[in-house]
Each structure stands twice: as C-alpha cells, then as structure tokens.
Amino acid sequence: MQLSTLGLGTYLGPSTDAADAAYAEAAQAFHAAGGTVFDTAANYRGGRSERALGAAFRHLPRDAFFISTKAGYLPMPEGGTEEGPRAWFHRVLEGPGILSVDDLVDGCHALTPKYLGHQLDISRNALGLETLDLFHLHNPEQQLPHLGPEAFYAMIDRAFEACEGFVAAGKIRAYGVATWNGFRVPPGQDGHLSLARLLAAAQAAGGRDHHFRWIQLPLNLALPEAFLAPTQVMDGTAMTPLAAAQACGLSVQTSASIMQARILRQLPDGFAEALGVRTPAQAALQFTRSCPGVTTALCGMGRAEHVVENAAVMAIPKLDRAALESLFG
C-alpha cells in the first residue's frame, strides 16, 4: 500500500452521534480523495473515534487503508454514564485485575503489559479489525518525571516485550511511540526521550528484526523542532528527530500539523500563495508533509469539507529543503 502524505486524525470533537457520523463520512471522503492513513487512540472522544472509523472501514477493503491507534491514557467515557471516575475505574479495570491504582501516573496514564493488551483488544473490536497496522505507546514521557530514567526505560522494556507478543499473536503489524515533548526537547530537559535507548529496548525485546518501526511527534510552523532542533544523539552525533529516525530506518507520523487551526491565524498575508497553495491550512500542511523524513502528516478532519480542502495538498509536489529552511530565515 502507498501511504498517503496526509493522514486523517480523530482527536477533537464532541461525544455525540452527529460527530461520529461526521467522522465516518470524512473518513470515507478522505479515502476517496486518495488518503490511506488514519490515526486514532483508545481515549479519543471516550473511544467514540475508534468506533466511528470502524463504521467507515466496513465499506473499505482491508488492504486499502493503514490504521494507527494508541494506548496509555484511561479512556473514560465522555458523557452517557452516571457513574463517577472511581467507580468506572474499579468496574472496568481494577475489579477484573487489569490495572491497579498503584499502576497509574497522574491518575490517568499507564503502560503495563496487561493494560496495553486490554486496550489493544478494545481498539481492535471498536475498529472491527483483527490486525492493526500500528500500535503506539501514547505519550510515554509522561511517566519519566515520576519513575526516573532507569525505571522508565525498564518500563519501556516490558512494554516493548508485550508489543512484540502482540505482533506474534497477529494483533498488530508494528508498534511505535506517539509523543508530545519527548523527542522535541533536548537531553537534560524533563520528558526527553532518547531514540537510541528506545531502539536498544526494541532490540532487546525483538532482536534485530524487532517491530518498533514508527515514531509520532508534533511538527508545524510554530513547533518546528522535529525538523530544526538536534535533540537526539546517535552514535555520538547530534541529530534532529527526523534525521535520527531516517538514520535508523524508522517511519514518522507528525501530529498537530495545523495545531488545531490555531496556527492558521498567525500566518502572514500571501503566505499560502508563496507556497503554491490556496489556503492557510494547505500552507501549514504543505510545510509539514514536505519536511524530509516525514512519512505522513496527520491532521484532524472531522467533517467532509475539511477533507476537500486539505486533501488537495496531496496532489502537488513537496517543497524542497531550501524552500523549507527559508521559511525560518
């Protein structure tokens, strides 16, 4: 399958039947426009985003799309339940022995093998798929300040071992880490993730043929660190996250490509035209998808009209490195 340079994200939106239907319609429109990559997470919209994509996928051949999801946050249902968070946690997770309160970080995050397996099975059921293309650990750096580096990477070791088991069981094809600060901040800052140490964990879990194949991190005109900042050290050489991923043969999804539309209001007049596109959203997407090392730039598209505007970018050539660097002086 050819992976599209844009991917449809499903993070935002109300927890309503109307929003579910709009996401399903947008997903079908995106595929019709040539989009093949879809991204979600177990906690997005209380699990409703996965179910909305599952409704869309029922109309598509399995080999016509690539789906990534994530686990790590508690997928508390949004609305439609009268029980409180504590009662929900006990009924769904603690009572059945899936997760204890002691496993939680910040009251909302866990990456234990049993919990990951539980969430993966829920995602597979919601999406209506036996095998998922990509399963991310969701913002693992959230646990770093609480665990410290050594305990944190020991936790990653166990999580990656579980993910290799999911591959062997035919539940996923590959796994990765979807981050926010982890790869953008330099060594020594809170939350920094070392790609070299993650790769060592993957090799310990799966050998040379391990299935840690992807990373996800933000990249947009306001957060350009993935493209510009040498935050990773590989074999003694400082590299940008994108360059480090390329050097290691990892594919990259970028999130927040238009920063939930907030960045669009900051673009100067004529910026879109200078990049060869019509609208600010297209300009932001054209920047992100063009950065060397980016496999797919993700963008939330909850309505079909978003798809019509955004998907048009996939039909034009990417910017070259010189043009990209000129945007930052």
Side-chain angles (χ1 to χ4, degrees):
M1 184 199 312
Q2 182 70 36
L3 299 184
S4 52
T5 59
L6 293 187
L8 183 143
T10 59
Y11 174 47
L12 296 179
S15 298
T16 63
D17 292 344
D20 293 348
Y23 261 121
E25 181 184 6
Q28 293 179 58
F30 183 64
H31 182 265
T36 58
V37 179
F38 300 82
D39 180 73
T40 189
N43 66 307
Y44 285 178
R45 301 173 55 250
R48 297 182 71 135
S49 287
E50 288 187 329
R51 294 193 292 274
L53 285 182
F57 292 161
R58 286 198 293 269
H59 304 284
L60 302 177
R62 181 60 186 95
D63 60 358
F65 62 90
F66 178 101
I67 177 65
S68 57
T69 193
K70 317 175 191 72
Y73 289 102
L74 297 185
M76 274 289 295
E78 298 180 11
T81 178
E82 295 181 358
E83 65 181 340
R86 186 66 183 86
W88 175 88
F89 179 83
H90 179 76
R91 176 177 61 83
V92 174
L93 299 171
E94 189 175 38
I98 295 162
L99 193 65
S100 74
V101 172
D102 292 338
D103 294 324
L104 287 175
V105 168
D106 293 331
C108 67
H109 195 267
L111 293 171
T112 64
K114 185 175 287 188
Y115 180 63
L116 292 174
H118 174 265
Q119 292 295 282
L120 174 58
D121 286 344
I122 287 178
S123 294
R124 292 166 59 234
N125 182 65
L127 292 162
L129 300 172
E130 183 68 25
T131 304
L132 307 187
D133 297 295
L134 174 57
F135 182 62
H136 282 300
L137 306 187
H138 201 176
N139 289 357
E141 68 268 30
Q142 180 150 354
Q143 301 208 11
L144 252 173
H146 302 269
L147 299 180
E150 295 311 312
F152 172 80
Y153 285 104
M155 179 271 294
I156 291 292
D157 288 342
R158 295 188 292 272
F160 279 11
E161 287 172 2
C163 288
E164 291 291 343
F166 302 152
V167 174
K171 295 183 176 183
I172 62 173
R173 293 191 172 94
Y175 61 93
V177 291
T179 70
W180 185 255
N181 289 323
F183 294 124
R184 295 191 303 113
V185 301
Q189 284 198 12
D190 288 345
H192 169 78
L193 288 180
S194 165
L195 185 55
R197 291 194 70 169
L198 293 174
L199 283 164
Q203 290 168 1
R208 294 181 62 183
D209 296 325
H210 62 80
H211 296 82
F212 174 50
R213 305 280 176 79
W214 288 81
I215 63 172
Q216 186 182 122
L217 75 168
L219 175 59
N220 57 55
L221 287 160
L223 299 174
E225 296 90 350
F227 175 54
L228 296 178
T231 65
Q232 297 296 312
V233 178
M234 307 296 294
D235 296 326
T237 301
M239 297 181 173
T240 67
L242 289 180
Q246 280 187 299
C248 300
L250 297 177
S251 299
V252 178
Q253 294 174 321
T254 57
S255 59
S257 298
I258 63 174
M259 212 169 179
Q260 300 174 12
R262 294 195 300 272
I263 195 174
L264 307 184
R265 296 185 291 272
Q266 304 172 29
L267 300 182
D269 291 342
F271 185 81
E273 291 76 8
L275 268 60
V277 295
R278 296 185 298 103
T279 70
Q282 290 174 345
L285 293 171
Q286 178 67 334
F287 162 74
T288 301
R289 70 187 280 269
S290 298
C291 289
V294 172
T295 308
T296 299
L298 302 174
C299 179
M301 291 180 257
R303 297 199 300 270
E305 54 263 37
H306 296 159
V307 171
V308 172
E309 177 181 357
N310 296 341
V313 175
M314 296 190 292
I316 64 175
K318 295 181 180 181
L319 302 172
D320 61 27
R321 179 178 284 275
L324 291 167
E325 293 176 344
S326 70
L327 299 176
F328 300 94

